[in-house]
Amino acid sequence: MCVASLRGATVQDHVALVEIELCGELMIAASAAEGDRLSPDLIDEVLNVGQPGPAGQPPERNSRG
């Protein structure tokens, strides 16, 4: 049986990376928030839901850096 080595090969799932980043931003917001839960409005703000971007483009995301 021959198994191919993946050393040196870089595989990136860009959708998964974006989802991980979004989850991280929600965790940061939750740790800084007062109370037990984030409000739906705060979740939308953190994820930039409903904020239009330039014509024909998806909404821009905030940079936390």
Side-chain angles (χ1 to χ4, degrees):
M1 179 171 155
C2 183
V3 178
S5 173
L6 293 180
R7 285 190 184 188
T10 303
V11 178
Q12 292 185 357
D13 183 338
H14 296 286
V15 173
L17 293 174
V18 170
E19 289 177 357
I20 291 166
E21 183 179 349
L22 292 173
C23 288
E25 290 189 24
L26 284 171
M27 285 188 255
I28 291 167
S31 67
E34 295 179 13
D36 292 337
R37 298 173 186 252
L38 294 176
S39 70
D41 291 335
L42 183 56
I43 293 171
D44 288 349
E45 181 182 331
V46 169
L47 300 178
N48 290 327
V49 174
Q51 296 178 4
Q57 295 184 3
E60 290 187 25
R61 300 211 33 246
N62 285 337
S63 297
R64 294 184 186 244

